[in-house]
Amino acid sequence: MTLLFNLMAQSLQMLLVLALAPLLIGFVRKLKARLLRRRGPPIIQPWLDLIRLLRKEVVLAENASWLYRWAPYLIFAMIWVAASLVPTFATGLTFSWSADLIAIIALLGSARFFLALAGMDIGTSFGGIGSSREAMFGSLAEPAMMMIVFTVSFVAGTTQLSEIAAYMAGNLELRASVGMALVALLIVAIAENGRIPVDNPATHLELTMVHEAMVLEYSGRYLALIELASALKLLLYLSLIACVFFPVGLASHDAGAEAMMIGLGAYVLKLAIGGGALALFETSTAKMRIFRVPDFLGAGLMLGLLATLLVFVTRSL
């Protein structure tokens, strides 16, 4: 009976992230429109767009290889698995043993690798530009992410997310290193999800677009999978921030259904706060020029490095 309950909780988490990811995008768009005194599309509009794309016929370039066809499936699967591993409403679920920060970074890096390859596969200029920019940003974002992981894992003594969340929930104290890691993670999250000021997901300007340039030639179900993967990635980063730095309300795997419902409500509230903060930040910030993005990511890398060094220094005292 316990095994069945744990499997149901794990399945609920996998379906939950899949259902909430497009709604989070819709919530951010709606809130941004309201802040600009516009009515905006309904929150479920991303789901309606995905259903419309799934019904459309796929149009492929003649020289598209098998990689171009399979990349959307691989990217979606990797990011969905990564998003499902991050504790959302409960810790210690059935697959929590694999919820390791290093494994999640590896899955995200692999998804980036296949997306960049797919962008270059059919040989268009936009795809090449987007892939080269994605590789450039990734060369700074991934080391910054590793520094953040080192900081958090040195503080908590593990890279396992459920144990990190339990440690952070039981040791609520102000740490400069954890604060710097949080700011670094916010910078990386903005860059990795192509949000303002790094990129503008609502436009297709050839001089600035990164993610949209790589997927410009996709259509139909392929584009739907990539759009859903992109929404899952944003939800993953918000879940990661909530799990590691704000683990309030997280239930344990043996806490029962009532505690998990409370954890679910707390998780939805955290997503709403994170989405609201993102909408407010994007509304009040201008997009930066493309060659200044490395400086922005470099600041995240330096903050992550300083946070790691600070942990070592404070431990040696």
Side-chain angles (χ1 to χ4, degrees):
M1 191 65 183
T2 304
L3 177 62
L4 180 63
F5 182 76
N6 290 338
L7 286 174
M8 287 176 61
Q10 184 67 65
S11 303
L12 175 62
Q13 170 152 309
M14 296 186 71
L15 294 176
L16 182 70
V17 295
L18 192 63
L20 288 182
L23 295 180
L24 176 63
I25 296 288
F27 176 71
V28 173
R29 288 177 184 170
K30 184 74 174 181
L31 204 54
K32 286 174 68 176
R34 288 293 186 186
L35 289 171
L36 295 171
R37 298 191 175 185
R38 291 189 286 109
R39 187 172 183 179
I43 292 176
I44 61 167
Q45 188 62 47
W47 265 120
L48 300 178
D49 292 340
L50 290 173
I51 294 170
R52 176 176 54 82
L53 286 172
L54 288 172
R55 289 177 177 172
K56 281 194 171 184
E57 182 184 358
V58 174
V59 179
L60 282 176
E62 292 181 356
N63 58 339
S65 72
W66 65 269
L67 177 66
Y68 192 79
R69 293 180 176 85
W70 280 99
Y73 297 103
L74 293 170
I75 293 164
F76 169 71
M78 289 174 185
I79 296 183
W80 188 21
V81 169
S84 301
L85 292 178
V86 179
T88 54
F89 61 91
T91 60
L93 296 180
T94 306
F95 297 145
S96 63
W97 56 270
S98 59
D100 191 279
L101 275 171
I102 304 294
I104 289 172
I105 292 175
L107 286 169
L108 292 176
S110 301
R112 181 208 305 280
F113 174 71
F114 283 108
L115 185 60
L117 286 182
M120 294 186 292
D121 185 73
I122 55 175
T124 61
S125 56
F126 281 139
I129 289 173
S131 298
S132 62
R133 287 173 178 172
E134 181 74 10
M136 179 182 70
F137 296 165
S139 65
L140 290 170
E142 288 184 5
M145 196 66 191
M146 290 304 296
M147 290 298 109
I148 297 164
V149 171
F150 290 154
T151 303
V152 174
S153 59
F154 286 145
V155 169
T158 177
T159 57
Q160 217 277 340
L161 271 172
S162 290
E163 295 181 17
I164 290 174
Y167 179 86
M168 291 295 186
N171 295 273
L172 297 175
E173 55 186 53
L174 292 175
R175 292 173 182 265
S177 56
V178 175
M180 285 192 282
L182 172 59
V183 176
L185 183 56
L186 291 173
I187 292 173
V188 172
I190 289 171
E192 289 284 65
N193 288 283
R195 309 298 304 192
I196 296 174
V198 173
D199 193 5
N200 189 350
T203 65
H204 290 74
L205 298 176
E206 61 182 277
L207 293 177
T208 59
M209 61 181 176
V210 181
H211 174 78
E212 297 298 326
M214 290 185 289
V215 303
L216 206 57
E217 301 296 326
Y218 274 115
S219 60
R221 63 178 181 276
Y222 295 135
L223 184 57
L225 285 173
I226 288 178
E227 292 294 333
L228 187 52
S230 177
L232 279 166
K233 194 174 181 181
L234 177 62
L235 182 132
L236 184 154
Y237 273 95
L238 288 184
S239 302
L240 196 60
I241 292 169
C243 165
V244 175
F245 298 99
F246 306 101
V248 181
L250 271 173
S252 60
H253 67 286
D254 54 353
E258 185 179 353
M260 289 197 178
M261 291 304 294
I262 294 173
L264 181 61
Y267 174 62
V268 173
L269 180 62
K270 290 176 197 174
L271 284 184
I273 293 172
L278 178 62
L280 185 62
F281 178 73
E282 289 190 330
T283 308
S284 58
T285 307
K287 187 187 175 310
M288 66 175 65
R289 301 170 77 176
I290 195 76
F291 58 81
R292 294 193 61 186
V293 175
D295 297 336
F296 182 70
L297 279 170
L301 177 58
M302 286 299 106
L303 279 172
L305 183 60
L306 284 173
T308 307
L309 292 175
L310 192 58
V311 172
F312 276 113
V313 170
T314 51
R315 278 193 169 189
S316 60
L317 292 177

